[in-house]
Amino acid sequence: MDKNIYAEFIAKAELNEVHKVLIASAIPYAIIKGEPLSFLAYGDFALRKKSDIDILIDKNNIKRFESQLENHGFITQSNSRKDRILYLSSSHQTSPWIKTVNNLNLKVVVDINFDILWGEYNGKRIDIHEFISDAIDMEIYGFKIKTLTVLKSLIQLMLHQYKDLNSIFLLATRNSIKYDMFKDLYYLLKNNVHIIKVSDLYNISSCYQIVPYIYYMLYYTRLLFHDRVLDDYIEAFKTQEGIDLLNCYGLNDSERREWKYNFSTRLNSKNVYELIKNDLTEKDLMKININRRAFLNE
């Protein structure tokens, strides 16, 4: 079987399993990243690498959705009450839910996202019920699903990437600074610039109180993609707080550190942990070890 045809066949099989759960649960949701992002950024469902299916729902609907996942043969990766509390209090998602489809030798993995900010965030939380309230219809491989508007897809993507670029845990356990992150952001904005007006992006970012983080992502995207179309966005979002974030990592004031290496070194490093390990405190190392056990099953 042709590689592309096989990939589409697997994607359809995965989406079929998840679609049944979404219909049964009947809760507001949006599928994020994955195929919807690939289509919005590149005009093709299959141009981004994907693994899990990410679903964004209101935190109040988690139990209802998990109940339907269980009813449809999914099992959670962690049944520990302690780990579940850690996920809900220190993360933006629950432990993954997995279903093995034996006749296809396929594992379908669902990540339930209930926030688009990070666990360490100290500011005003974004109301996810409101955030997904204007989710749009999209047909993927014959399945009609809900996903975020282009504007909110960009917001979600930028915050997700900011977290990956700045989480001490992720920097210590994987190379979470990747060119493709900025590539997705650039093409999502570039190919929808007629829809994503500077004023609209700024107004929603200001409402959610996330302007400095959006500036950070725009700044580094412009550094890699020398496209003047980004300049008006960067100028609108420029604040001293955003500028102060550019050469730092860490997700809140108490754990924020200044980088000792420039952006090019960070981006091209094959082991980012080596760049930060001498800056980490006992508290940082303890947090990394706790998260390793809970999130990586180590």
Side-chain angles (χ1 to χ4, degrees), residues 241-279:
E241 188 179 352
I243 293 170
D244 291 344
L245 290 175
L246 292 178
N247 200 38
C248 295
Y249 64 95
L251 290 175
N252 60 30
D253 291 340
S254 66
E255 67 176 32
R256 193 159 286 132
R257 310 276 187 276
E258 190 169 325
W259 279 107
K260 293 179 178 175
Y261 300 87
N262 64 28
F263 179 69
S264 178
T265 301
R266 282 130 56 182
L267 184 67
N268 294 300
S269 174
K270 290 186 172 25
N271 189 343
V272 179
Y273 178 63
E274 289 296 318
L275 305 183
I276 68 170
K277 66 179 184 181
N278 292 331
D279 298 332

Side-chain angles (χ1 to χ4, degrees), residues 210-255:
I210 55 172
V211 168
Y213 310 113
I214 303 304
Y215 173 75
Y216 177 104
M217 295 307 306
L218 289 168
Y219 178 90
Y220 282 119
T221 302
R222 177 67 170 87
L223 204 63
L224 291 175
F225 296 88
H226 310 291
D227 191 336
R228 290 182 179 176
V229 75
L230 296 171
D231 290 350
D232 288 343
Y233 293 90
I234 291 172
E235 188 58 34
F237 280 82
K238 190 175 183 179
T239 64
Q240 188 58 51
E241 188 179 352
I243 293 170
D244 291 344
L245 290 175
L246 292 178
N247 200 38
C248 295
Y249 64 95
L251 290 175
N252 60 30
D253 291 340
S254 66
E255 67 176 32

